[in-house]
Amino acid sequence: MDAQGRGRADNIDPADQWVLNPNTGEYELRLTPSAPQSGVPRPRRGSPANAGPGAGTRARRAPERESPPTPSPDVPGPRRRRGAPAEPPPGRRKGRTKPKKSKAKKILLWTGGSMAFVLVAVSAAGYLYLKHLEGNVSTTDVGSAGKKGFSKDEAFNILIIGTDKRTGAGNEGYGDAGSVGHADTNILLHVSKDRTNATALSIPRDLIVDVPDCPTKQPDGTTKVVPGTQNVRFNTSLGQDGRDPGCTMRTVKAVTGIPVDHFMMADFNAVKTLTSAVGGVDVCVAHAVNDKESHLKLPAGKSTVEGEQALAFVRTRHSFGNQGDLDRIKVQQQFLGSLMRKMASGDTLSNPAKLFSLAEAATKALTVDTGIGKVSTLKDVALELKKVPTKNITFTTVPVLDNPAEKVKATVVVSQSQAPAVFDAIKGDVSFTAVKQKEKKEKAEVAARLKGTRSAAADIRVDIYNGGAPAGSAQETLNWLQNTEGVLKSSQLGNADATLSKTTLEYAPDQADQARKLADLMGLSASALKPGKSEKNSQGLPAIVLTLGKDFKGAGVSLTTPTKAPEVDKSTADKTVCAS
């Protein structure tokens, strides 16, 4: 085809290449519709009619589709205007009309290959960037103090630790000079199983506690046990005598009874870099601040702080309340709520530059346990937390009292009248905000398991197994049931085949009255009762099966989960509160 012919072909709309064949009554593809057509079919390419000398020796080609017969010039076929609907021949259905190809589809056909290449390139770059971020994160092996991995299907507890270690330029005015990095700011973050709510429980650094013995991994791979200490400040659970974050996790569990799954730790620089990455955090103060020690200067009302100013805001102890640590904790909670809102805002999530800066700042600032040490796992944690509405993220503090052993009040102790209810609510996955739970209450049929007659304690036949409780719990329970509660037809059979998070009581339908009585004695909720089958005891008689789970607290200690959280001094992450 000459240049002029090529030009015409290039300007042809693909839709015009579909023309009506009057001999068949169907539309067919004709690549050169403008060329005059003969009524005689053209010979195949490479056939003898067109062959020159030596054609017989040419390699045989696959047969090509012949052009369909066309009407003679003397009998022109039906013509149509471009874009006008074609008239189908008599007896032919409109449904046989070949659809017109859209320009969008034509563009996709041409760009599909290029797009695939771009996607592969981006995916490769994304993988390399994730590996780069992974190199930013520092990890610490805390051994049995935490979990080995992260589950998206369970509630989880993460201990967030801010240390007072002076690293980096400009941090000389904060923390203790020469500090090895004590647990200065501590928040136990509990995220509910159904992701409807979360609780951020602050633990005062000046809380008097007993720090337990702590196995710590050494650089050479060996394990060293750091001896525990009694009646000391909570912040010494980290750094002191070589203690690692696993020691702080163990101390939290010893004080609250709440198991800690993972930790995230950062120093002063994290506040600077994270706030700068998101373009500043909005804060509010009830009155103007001019703190000569932290160098914080803010007018009354709302301000945006980042970098050095943000660090001064969360570190100052002389601008709010009674200038103590408890009032500083409230300010830090308000600051974290604002930071959460900023990180989740459209202004951050829709800005690639901010997202990249945030990813770099966060991964460089953090030290985490090996269970969540991969960037992909940290991403999973963040996505699970993102599911929680900010209005249902509650900030509160361990209920405390002034230390009665001190004349000059400098430290605090756990309030034994208020704190246990807070700890139990968190362990029971109970929200501190009014949320629309997926399961507000136990289903009616579950609650009904506790309704009905009770047998006498002497009529209960029960086999006891340890399914995750501390060693010796089955024997302890057996002794208590027989000697205190009169359940004489009981026996303990060692460890169960599986580990359970919660204690269960299995029974056959005709043993429901025994199960209800034992549930009363043990303080079991209706959900712990599992109707089904019983087993034979050593005398061949049917016995209900009590399996003690990880929630077992000791013989005679109720296992009933609270259904409502206690009233506490709290704030939520969705509201701005002016520090005063």
Side-chain angles (χ1 to χ4, degrees):
M1 186 180 292
D2 58 18
Q4 184 178 1
R6 285 195 299 270
R8 286 196 304 270
D10 291 341
N11 292 326
I12 294 173
D13 190 316
D16 290 339
Q17 295 178 302
W18 292 94
V19 297
L20 180 69
N21 183 345
N23 294 331
T24 63
E26 296 181 356
Y27 282 85
E28 296 172 343
L29 180 64
R30 191 167 300 162
L31 298 178
T32 55
S34 60
Q37 303 294 324
S38 169
V40 181
R42 291 182 296 173
R44 296 177 183 176
R45 194 181 302 174
S47 66
N50 290 332
T57 63
R58 300 166 78 182
R60 184 175 181 180
R61 299 187 182 189
E64 299 180 7
R65 181 181 297 174
E66 297 186 39
S67 299
T70 55
S72 167
D74 297 329
V75 187
R79 297 181 62 85
R80 61 183 174 84
R81 291 176 296 159
R82 182 182 297 182
E87 288 290 333
R92 297 288 179 179
R93 292 178 297 176
K94 290 184 179 182
R96 298 181 66 91
T97 303
K98 191 74 175 180
K100 178 178 178 179
K101 287 187 177 179
S102 69
K103 291 185 178 181
K105 288 184 178 180
K106 188 168 80 171
I107 292 171
L108 284 175
L109 289 173
W110 282 103
T111 62
S114 300
M115 183 60 69
F117 174 78
V118 170
L119 289 175
V120 170
V122 169
S123 298
Y127 171 78
L128 292 175
Y129 185 65
L130 284 178
K131 297 304 288 184
H132 159 72
L133 291 178
E134 208 153 279
N136 289 345
V137 181
S138 299
T139 60
T140 297
D141 185 354
V142 296
S144 61
K147 288 188 174 180
K148 298 300 181 184
F150 175 74
S151 173
K152 298 179 183 179
D153 303 320
E154 298 177 352
F156 60 91
N157 301 315
I158 296 181
L159 181 62
I160 301 170
I161 306 171
T163 75
D164 60 358
K165 192 172 184 178
R166 294 182 178 183
T167 57
N171 294 332
E172 295 80 7
Y174 307 103
D176 298 327
S179 172
V180 292
H182 293 119
D184 191 59
T185 299
N186 309 277
I187 296 176
L188 179 61
L189 177 65
H190 169 80
V191 180
S192 70
K193 182 177 181 179
D194 61 9
R195 308 300 188 248
T196 62
N197 65 92
T199 303
L201 180 69
S202 290
I203 303 171
R205 71 172 198 169
D206 295 328
L207 179 67
I208 296 300
V209 298
D210 291 341
V211 177
D213 292 347
C214 179
T216 59
K217 293 282 186 178
Q218 302 301 302
D220 61 0
T222 60
T223 298
K224 174 187 176 182
V225 176
V226 180
T229 51
Q230 287 71 47
N231 230 23
V232 294
R233 279 181 166 88
F234 180 89
N235 67 341
T236 61
S237 64
L238 177 69
Q240 197 84 2
D241 301 322
R243 293 185 176 119
D244 65 11
C247 301
T248 309
M249 295 167 70
R250 295 174 194 274
T251 304
V252 169
K253 184 177 180 181
V255 173
T256 66
I258 302 170
V260 184
D261 303 318
H262 306 285
F263 84 87
M264 294 181 179
M265 183 174 68
D267 60 17
F268 293 149
N269 290 318
V271 177
K272 295 182 182 180
T273 56
L274 288 174
T275 53
S276 295
V278 297
V281 173
D282 297 330
V283 298
C284 180
V285 294
H287 54 79
V289 174
N290 186 0
D291 185 356
K292 295 180 180 180
E293 292 196 24
S294 67
H295 308 293
L296 176 66
K297 292 184 179 181
L298 290 176
K302 295 181 180 180
S303 299
T304 300
V305 296
E306 67 173 281
E308 188 71 35
Q309 195 177 30
L311 178 58
F313 182 81
V314 298
R315 289 294 305 163
T316 182
R317 297 184 63 168
H318 303 282
S319 301
F320 309 111
N322 61 6
Q323 302 185 11
D325 190 49
L326 295 179
D327 287 296
R328 184 177 65 167
I329 284 175
K330 293 180 180 179
V331 173
Q332 291 172 345
Q333 291 172 346
Q334 294 162 16
F335 176 85
L336 286 175
S338 182
L339 178 59
M340 286 181 178
R341 293 194 298 273
K342 189 61 177 286
M343 291 172 69
S345 69
D347 180 54
T348 299
L349 297 178
S350 63
N351 188 322
K354 282 188 178 180
L355 285 176
F356 276 97
S357 296
L358 186 58
E360 288 286 347
T363 51
K364 286 180 178 178
L366 289 177
T367 297
V368 301
D369 61 281
T370 51
I372 55 173
K374 292 185 177 180
V375 169
S376 58
T377 308
L378 288 173
K379 177 203 68 177
D380 290 340
V381 173
L383 290 177
E384 292 304 304
L385 181 57
K386 189 176 181 293
K387 295 177 182 178
V388 183
T390 53
K391 66 179 181 179
N392 292 334
I393 300 177
T394 302
F395 290 98
T396 190
T397 305
V398 173
V400 296
L401 301 170
D402 286 334
N403 187 351
E406 294 177 334
K407 291 183 178 180
V408 178
K409 304 304 181 184
T411 60
V412 293
V413 296
V414 172
S415 170
Q416 295 302 326
S417 63
Q418 295 179 305
V422 174
F423 302 153
D424 287 345
I426 294 175
K427 283 186 288 185
D429 202 21
V430 178
S431 175
F432 283 78
T433 55
V435 299
K436 194 173 182 179
Q437 301 274 8
K438 292 181 180 178
E439 296 180 5
K440 287 186 178 180
K441 299 178 181 179
E442 294 177 333
K443 293 181 179 179
E445 60 269 23
V446 174
R449 295 172 190 170
L450 286 175
K451 295 180 180 179
T453 59
R454 267 77 169 160
S455 71
D459 293 333
I460 298 174
R461 291 190 184 94
V462 58
D463 287 342
I464 307 166
Y465 292 88
N466 189 329
S473 294
Q475 185 62 47
E476 177 190 352
T477 301
L478 176 70
N479 295 339
W480 174 74
L481 287 174
Q482 289 185 343
N483 300 327
T484 305
E485 301 300 329
V487 183
L488 304 178
K489 300 173 184 177
S490 52
S491 58
Q492 74 92 359
L493 300 180
N495 293 330
D497 294 334
T499 299
L500 303 179
S501 59
K502 294 184 179 297
T503 297
T504 62
L505 182 58
E506 300 176 71
Y507 57 96
D510 60 350
Q511 298 170 311
D513 58 342
Q514 297 181 43
R516 285 191 284 266
K517 179 61 177 179
L518 187 58
D520 291 345
L521 297 176
M522 295 285 298
L524 297 176
S525 64
S527 61
L529 274 63
K530 306 296 181 185
K533 297 179 180 180
S534 60
E535 64 180 30
K536 301 291 185 181
N537 65 10
S538 57
Q539 289 79 38
L541 299 173
I544 60 179
V545 179
L546 175 65
T547 306
L548 306 176
K550 291 182 178 179
D551 63 337
F552 180 76
K553 303 174 183 178
V557 181
S558 175
L559 294 178
T560 302
T561 302
T563 58
K564 184 179 180 181
E567 291 296 325
V568 293
D569 184 13
K570 64 185 180 183
S571 61
T572 52
D574 64 318
K575 295 179 180 178
T576 300
V577 180
C578 291
S580 59

